[in-house]
Amino acid sequence: MSQSASEMELREEDIRSHYAAAAEMLMGIDHAPRLAQARLTLAAPERSPEISAMNRRFRSTTPGMITRQMARPDGVRLIDRIAESDDDDPLTSAKQAAVTHALRRALSIALAAGAAFADRTGLGELKKANLETRLPAARQGEFGELLGAEALAVLFTFGNALAFLLAPQASEQTVEVGSVDEVLTDNAPLALHGALWELDQIIGLHAKSDDLLVSAVLAYAEQLMAKVALRAETHPRVQPFAEAKYRVEADDFTLAGFTPARKARGTTLTMAFKKPEEVIGNHIAKYQAMRLAKMLMAYDFSRKLNPFAELGGFIFTFMGDGKPGTGKTTLIQMMAGMINDYCKIAGYPFRYQNLSIDNVDSYQGKSGQNAKAFITSVMDPAVIGFGTIDDIDQVAGKRGERGSSAGQQEITAVLMEAFAGANTVVRGNATFGMFSNYPEMVDDALRQRAGARFLVDGPQSREDYIDILALLLGKNHAIPVGEHDLYAGQEIRKAVAASFEGHSQPHEDGLKAVWAAVAGKIGPLDTLAKLGSYLKAIQEADGRFTGRAIKNITDAVKVRAMDFELPDEWMEKPDLFLFKDYDTKKAMIADLRTPITVEMVVQEINRYADSEFRYADKSDEAAIEGAVRDMRRMEEAKRRYLEGKG
C-alpha cells in the first residue's frame, strides 16, 4: 500500500534497532506497582525448594479467582508467563509464539514512535542536557511535561500496535480484564515497565488456554488505549503526537495519534444460509435486503466510505416486523449468506454479530458494555459488517416501562446513540437490522431510528402458499404440481413493483381517515406543498410523527431512486466494479440512478406512516388489554378478601 503525502514513515531499521531492548523487557524487568494493586500474590510453596524454584505456585487475592501462577518475587518475566499459560505442555504453541512476537514488535514500534516524538519536540536535546546536568532551571517544567507526553505516546502506540498485530489470532472468546490502572507518565521506560507488569498480572489471572491468552492480551490492549487516550485529553504537550501520522509499511499499520488502528477481523459463520428463492413472499423486504447486500460491497476500504452513503440511498438501520413464523429469521439467513458469499469472492473480511437477550446482564453497566462492544465490532471500518438485534422488544427496554430492567434500559441508550447520535458516522460498510414480532413494544424513539421498514408478512397469495408448500416438502415425493407455474410469483421485480404500487393508498384505518380528509380538501398529492400538507395532517393525528420520520421517509425515497440492483456480474468478477477506485465506483453508481417521482414519495409516506399507525394501534390495544386484566384481578382480589372476612 502506498504512503500518503501526510504520513511520515517509521523506518524498519529504526524499529528493529529496538528489538534487543524489547526482548530484554520481555525476558525480565523489576517493577514495583505505584498506582495499581497486585491482583495475585505468592503462595506458600508446597514442594521442595529445588522444585519450587523451578515452578512456583501462586494464589489469587481477587475474590472468586482460582489459584494461578503469578509474578515472581525476582521480577516480571513475561516470556515465561506466556509459556506457562497452557500449564503442563513444555513446548511453546503457535499462539504463544504469536503473542510473544507481537509483544516484541509492538514494544519496538512504541520505542521508535517515542524516539520520533523526542526528535520532533526537542525532547531529545533536553534529555541530553539533563544527563550532562546542564538543563536550565527555567526549562525543567517543560522537560517534565514532555517526558509525560512521550510516555503517553509510547503507551498508546504499544497498545495500538499490539491490538493490531494480534487481531488475526483472535477467537470468539472474550475476557473481561477490568480497569487498567498502572499508567505511569514519569518517562517512557517506566511507563512500559508498568504496562508489562500489569499485563503479566492479567495473563496470570485469565490465560487458561491459548485462545484466552490472546483474548486477555487484546482486552488489555484495548483498555490501555482507552485509559491513555482519556489521560491525554488533559495532558500538556501531546499535540505533536496527536496530530502526527506515521506509517509502518511492513505491518500495513498506520499510527494516527490517539486513534486506534483496526485490523480486519472477520468471523466464520456457521448459520444455515438461505437462497433468495427460498424466501417466499416478503417481496419488498427480500428485494431491499438483496440490494443492501450488494450496496455494502461498494464500500471502499482505502477511502473508508461507500459511494451509496455519499450519494444517498444507503440503509444504515432497518426494522423488520411481522407475526411469528412469517420469515424474519429466513430473511436474516438470506442476507447474511449473500454478503458472506460476495465477501469470499472479493476477499473482504465479513463480520456478522447478533445482539440477543443473552447480552442483558444483571450486573450494572455490563449490558451497556455488551451493546457498545457489539456496535464497535460491527462498525469496524476494516470489515463489512452486518449486525442484527433479534427480538429487540425483549433486548432493549422501553423507557418509562415498569417491566424494563436496568440492563435493557442501558442497551436502549447505547443503540439510540449509536444509530443516530451526535458522533454517529455512517461509512457504508455496516448495516443493522432490528427484528421483532411486537414492534409496538419497542421504545418509540429507538424505533424511529430505523431508517427503513421491512414488513415481514410472509406468504400472502395462493401462489405463495403453493410455492412454500413445494419448497418445504422437498423432492422426496412424486406429487404433481398441478396448474401452477412454480416460483413464478417470486420473480422479484414483478412482485416488488406490485407491492410498491399497493402503497399508493394507505392500508391502516387511522391513516385512511387522514388520507380521505386531505384528498377531499386539496385533491391529488402532486406537488411538494400538497405532500407537506399530508405530512402535517399525519402529525396532527399522531404526535410521534416528527422530523425524524420525515428524514426516514426521504431516505427511503433516495433508496427508491437507487432502484436498481448492481449487476450480478459485478459481484462475481470483482475487477469490473469492486476493485475500482472510489471515484470510478461512485460514477458508475450515479449513472444508474433514476429520477425521484411523486409516486415514489407518496408510496414511501404511506409505507412509513402505515407502520407507525399499525404500531400505535397494537400498542394501545395491548395497553387496554393490560388495564382490563388488572381491573379483573383487582375485582377478584376484592371478592376473595370480602369472602374471607365474612
Side-chain angles (χ1 to χ4, degrees):
M1 188 179 293
S2 61
Q3 183 178 325
S4 71
S6 61
E7 292 175 351
M8 296 175 283
E9 182 185 5
L10 275 183
R11 297 185 308 166
E12 187 64 21
E13 54 265 37
D14 292 338
I15 295 171
R16 288 180 175 271
S17 70
H18 295 287
Y19 269 16
E24 286 181 8
M25 279 191 273
L26 295 175
M27 286 189 288
I29 57 170
D30 291 321
H31 181 79
R34 293 167 53 181
L35 300 178
Q37 294 291 323
R39 308 184 195 193
L40 301 138
T41 56
L42 184 65
E46 299 177 352
R47 312 181 206 178
S48 68
E50 292 81 6
I51 296 176
S52 296
M54 294 170 59
N55 192 10
R56 299 177 175 90
R57 304 298 296 176
F58 301 83
R59 63 177 176 83
S60 170
T61 57
T62 304
M65 289 295 182
I66 65 169
T67 299
R68 301 287 295 157
Q69 290 182 313
M70 190 41 221
R72 298 152 184 80
D74 54 343
V76 176
R77 299 203 300 272
L78 205 53
I79 287 180
D80 291 347
R81 169 70 65 229
I82 292 167
E84 293 166 358
S85 63
D86 56 3
D87 291 328
D88 299 326
D89 193 338
L91 299 179
T92 301
S93 69
K95 285 201 173 181
Q96 289 171 348
V99 170
T100 305
H101 280 274
L103 281 165
R104 185 182 69 169
R105 182 73 177 173
L107 285 169
S108 300
I109 292 172
L111 290 169
F117 175 85
D119 289 343
R120 190 175 184 185
T121 58
L123 175 59
E125 287 299 320
L126 292 178
K127 286 181 180 179
K128 185 177 179 181
N130 184 61
L131 284 173
E132 297 171 356
T133 65
R134 55 181 178 82
L135 180 68
R139 302 197 68 182
Q140 287 180 354
E142 176 191 357
F143 179 53
E145 290 176 351
L146 282 171
L147 284 175
E150 182 193 29
L152 291 174
V154 166
L155 280 177
F156 189 88
T157 303
F158 171 58
N160 198 1
L162 184 58
F164 184 88
L165 294 169
L166 267 187
Q169 302 293 331
S171 68
E172 293 183 359
Q173 289 186 288
T174 58
V175 171
E176 292 290 337
V177 299
S179 65
V180 169
D181 300 316
E182 192 72 359
V183 178
L184 306 177
T185 56
D186 301 61
N187 56 67
L190 181 63
L192 288 175
H193 285 193
L196 295 179
W197 173 86
E198 193 156 22
L199 179 57
D200 181 74
Q201 297 259 311
I202 285 168
I203 292 174
L205 274 173
H206 300 286
K208 305 168 190 175
S209 67
D210 279 356
D211 283 344
L212 287 175
L213 168 66
V214 173
S215 298
V217 175
L218 282 171
Y220 169 76
E222 295 288 345
Q223 291 290 337
L224 177 64
M225 283 191 284
K227 189 68 171 277
V228 172
L230 185 64
R231 188 80 65 84
E233 289 180 1
T234 56
H235 198 284
R237 303 188 187 276
V238 296
Q239 283 304 110
F241 175 77
E243 296 172 353
K245 198 169 185 179
Y246 295 98
R247 177 83 182 157
V248 180
E249 193 67 33
D251 301 310
D252 193 21
F253 171 59
T254 298
L255 178 62
F258 294 100
T259 301
R262 298 295 179 191
K263 183 77 169 180
R265 266 194 268 174
T267 53
T268 302
L269 293 186
T270 56
M271 71 165 62
F273 295 141
K274 300 292 184 182
K275 300 295 183 185
E277 57 269 21
E278 295 179 272
V279 180
I280 305 299
N282 298 324
H283 300 301
I284 291 180
K286 178 166 72 171
Y287 179 57
Q288 290 190 319
M290 291 170 66
R291 289 175 54 214
L292 181 52
K294 289 184 177 180
M295 281 183 183
L296 284 166
M297 299 305 297
Y299 177 69
D300 187 276
F301 283 88
S302 297
R303 189 76 66 90
K304 289 185 170 49
L305 185 63
N306 192 319
F308 280 103
E310 183 177 352
L311 294 170
F314 181 78
I315 300 173
F316 178 52
T317 53
F318 61 92
M319 170 76 77
D321 72 278
K323 297 177 182 177
T326 50
K328 291 183 291 298
T329 301
T330 304
L331 194 70
I332 293 172
Q333 292 170 326
M334 181 205 78
M335 186 171 168
M338 292 183 72
I339 302 171
N340 184 69
D341 290 346
Y342 293 154
C343 284
K344 281 185 176 178
I345 293 170
Y348 294 165
F350 171 46
R351 184 176 299 157
Y352 168 78
Q353 283 197 286
N354 180 59
L355 186 71
S356 68
I357 191 67
D358 293 338
N359 294 106
V360 181
D361 199 287
S362 59
Y363 183 76
Q364 184 177 2
K366 186 63 165 54
S367 301
Q369 289 178 4
N370 291 340
K372 287 179 182 177
F374 162 74
I375 295 292
T376 301
S377 178
V378 175
M379 291 185 68
D380 184 346
V383 304
I384 301 296
F386 178 30
T388 56
I389 307 110
D390 209 359
D391 295 322
I392 189 170
D393 52 285
Q394 297 182 43
V395 177
K398 199 171 186 177
R399 290 171 300 173
E401 190 79 28
R402 284 180 297 177
S404 295
S405 69
Q408 290 172 312
Q409 299 283 352
E410 289 173 14
I411 289 178
T412 298
V414 170
L415 295 182
M416 287 178 61
E417 174 63 25
F419 292 162
N423 297 319
T424 301
V425 178
V426 179
R427 298 182 182 278
N429 69 305
T431 187
F432 293 88
M434 299 175 275
F435 295 86
S436 177
N437 297 327
Y438 306 100
E440 69 278 3
M441 301 301 294
V442 180
D443 186 88
D444 290 341
L446 176 56
R447 189 177 66 240
Q448 289 179 5
R449 277 163 166 75
R453 305 297 171 90
F454 293 1
L455 175 58
V456 187
D457 51 2
Q460 296 294 305
S461 65
R462 167 184 171 273
E463 289 74 19
D464 285 346
Y465 276 91
I466 297 171
D467 288 344
I468 195 170
L469 178 63
L471 177 69
L472 296 178
L473 278 177
K475 297 181 179 180
N476 189 28
H477 67 84
I479 304 172
V481 174
E483 296 182 5
H484 174 70
D485 188 1
L486 203 58
Y487 305 131
Q490 309 311 316
E491 200 282 307
I492 194 70
R493 281 201 167 274
K494 177 181 175 184
V496 167
S499 296
F500 278 130
E501 183 65 29
H503 289 284
S504 295
Q505 298 281 330
H507 293 176
E508 298 297 314
D509 291 339
L511 188 59
K512 285 179 180 177
V514 176
W515 172 274
V518 172
K521 282 184 180 180
I522 62 178
L525 305 182
D526 52 9
T527 67
L528 289 177
K530 291 181 178 181
L531 290 167
S533 298
Y534 181 37
L535 290 169
K536 175 59 180 174
I538 296 172
Q539 185 270 330
E540 289 175 348
D542 185 347
R544 292 172 298 186
F545 204 79
T546 62
R548 187 177 297 281
I550 311 305
K551 181 184 184 304
N552 290 338
I553 289 168
T554 55
D555 284 347
V557 171
K558 292 174 184 176
V559 171
R560 292 284 299 279
M562 299 286 188
D563 195 12
F564 55 84
E565 273 197 88
L566 296 178
D568 289 334
E569 192 179 25
W570 289 7
M571 302 294 113
E572 296 163 1
K573 299 178 181 178
D575 289 336
L576 296 179
F577 174 73
L578 300 181
F579 294 168
K580 300 286 188 186
D581 64 84
Y582 179 84
D583 293 328
T584 301
K585 284 190 285 192
K586 180 180 174 183
M588 292 171 73
I589 291 169
D591 287 343
L592 296 174
R593 278 192 299 186
T594 58
I596 293 172
T597 65
V598 70
E599 289 80 15
M600 287 182 191
V601 180
V602 170
Q603 290 166 6
E604 292 306 322
I605 291 174
N606 286 336
R607 272 213 318 137
Y608 190 93
D610 268 331
S611 67
E612 284 299 309
F613 274 79
R614 184 170 66 251
Y615 302 154
D617 290 345
K618 287 183 179 179
S619 181
D620 291 345
E621 187 59 33
I624 291 169
E625 288 180 0
V628 169
R629 282 196 302 271
D630 288 343
M631 289 178 184
R632 286 174 178 167
R633 282 197 292 265
M634 288 302 297
E635 287 293 327
E636 180 63 18
K638 184 177 179 181
R639 184 186 67 77
R640 293 185 188 182
Y641 173 75
L642 292 174
E643 284 180 358
K645 207 174 177 184

